[in-house]
Amino acid sequence: MELRCAVQKYAWGKAGKSSLVAQLSQGNSTAPIVEDDPYAELWMGTHPSGPSVIKSSNEPLLNHLLSNVDSLGDEEKKVFGTDLPFLFKALSVAKALSIQAHPNKKHAEELFATRPDLYKDPNHKPEMVTAWLGPFEALCGFRPVADIKFFLQEIDELAAVVGKSACEALVKAESDSGEMQALRECFSALMNTSEESIASALKQFEQRIPSLSAEKKDALQCDLFTRIATDFPGDVGCWSVYFMNYVVLQEGESMFLGPNVPHAYIFGDCLECMACSDNVVRAGLTPKFKDIDTLCSMLDYQAGPVDRFRMQWSTVDEFCQTCSPPVPDFAMARLRLPASATVDKPYGLPIRSNASILLILQGQATSVETKEDLSFGQVLFLKAGQQLTVQVKGQQDLIVYQAFANV
């Protein structure tokens, strides 16, 4: 079944036709692209904040699942009930998203019970991000402590807003647990500093940057800092550059972000798959509500290189790969069929024991089963056990990403 999916026009999205999300939306919608509008996210799934509908009938996908429970796999229903456990997205990021983290399941239930106006569901939100169409930039997890110490020593303006006692505690910390506690104190002190002090320190550092040598600017990642500070003047989140790892994912590379991992996407296009939730705790780089106390209390303060978050894809056959994060809610597969490889022989996608959603990111094909044409931007729902066999058309490779429950 072909789906029509929701577009989210958040302020940080790329504008008009420059946005991958806007381009994809044309594959399953007749709405014209508005050039000045930000097209931030395409949601594929059943989440109530952006539910997909069946294109042929306009029936919400969730309603269809409730009345056709055989569409879901047996193990899927046993673990998650009669709804899809995952939410699949495409993102087009023009400027940094908020400094944020997602709660674990127990914490999500508590937040939903006490603050349903801010936290809209009781589910956790582990997520996997995969770069698409060139480099994707992000901040992710706390840097090695040695890096943070270096920045605190080199940037007086940052050390001033963190505070002398917190900085000294981090310098003197020796054990891993001591470093985590000292890092927590530093980051919490920063986030709780007055807006006036933060804005003043940022301005002072920005004014000092031009006087630094090229080598020093590079060491202090001044280009990255300046880009973010330009979009969010006076925002405490600008200082997060010096606490969190800066990572650039190349096309096809992936990261997994578990509960309580601080992160912020900066620029580029990506695909995300996550547990079916929209719970986000924010504390910077956003006009939305900043729940600083909740974020600082919940974060994972384990410091280290960003490679610990990278995910590896496994080869299924010469055309298909899969990636399975350490959660049952979702896994992903991707298919790249060269046009020349299937001229004489159609390709059958591996049959999944659970329901799945497919996004066509490039190329054209014909479904052998239905004889229908498939093309860029189309989103398909396959019920558990359903076969899809494709014959590539045209000169482009066919590229498809697929999301499904990891049980």
Side-chain angles (χ1 to χ4, degrees), residues 316-337:
V316 176
D317 58 38
E318 61 180 315
F319 304 122
C320 183
Q321 295 180 313
T322 59
C323 190
S324 298
V327 292
D329 307 75
F330 62 90
M332 293 196 72
R334 63 187 179 198
L335 173 74
R336 187 180 194 114
L337 281 176

Side-chain angles (χ1 to χ4, degrees), residues 1-3 54-56 61 64 71 379-382 386:
M1 295 186 301
E2 188 174 351
L3 301 179
I54 298 169
K55 187 174 183 179
S56 61
L61 178 58
H64 175 83
S71 295
V379 181
L380 308 177
F381 173 81
L382 293 185
Q386 185 173 1

